[in-house]
Amino acid sequence: MLEWDAPFAKWFVGGKLNVAYNCVDRHVEAGFGDQVAIHWEGEPGDTRTITYARPAA
């Protein structure tokens, strides 16, 4: 897990990260797909709300 070469340390060398799962998919799997992930407000009063769930086709 840790590669130590003083004064430098590297964690999880060779590890992989699934960013989409960590940011979105786990919330949908937990039943929070309809919950707001991002709410944007612009000028003049423009709004957009994006949920964790994929929009219906």
Side-chain angles (χ1 to χ4, degrees):
M1 251 203 250
L2 173 64
E3 184 180 293
W4 181 260
D5 186 18
F8 304 102
K10 295 180 183 178
W11 288 93
F12 304 105
V13 176
K16 295 181 181 180
L17 177 66
N18 184 337
V19 177
Y21 179 81
N22 288 334
C23 295
V24 179
D25 297 343
R26 67 187 184 101
H27 296 293
V28 175
E29 287 177 3
F32 300 115
D34 293 332
Q35 196 172 46
V36 174
I38 298 172
H39 182 76
W40 175 81
E41 293 186 24
E43 299 280 338
D46 297 334
T47 63
R48 182 162 183 198
T49 301
I50 301 171
T51 64
Y52 290 105
R54 187 175 197 175

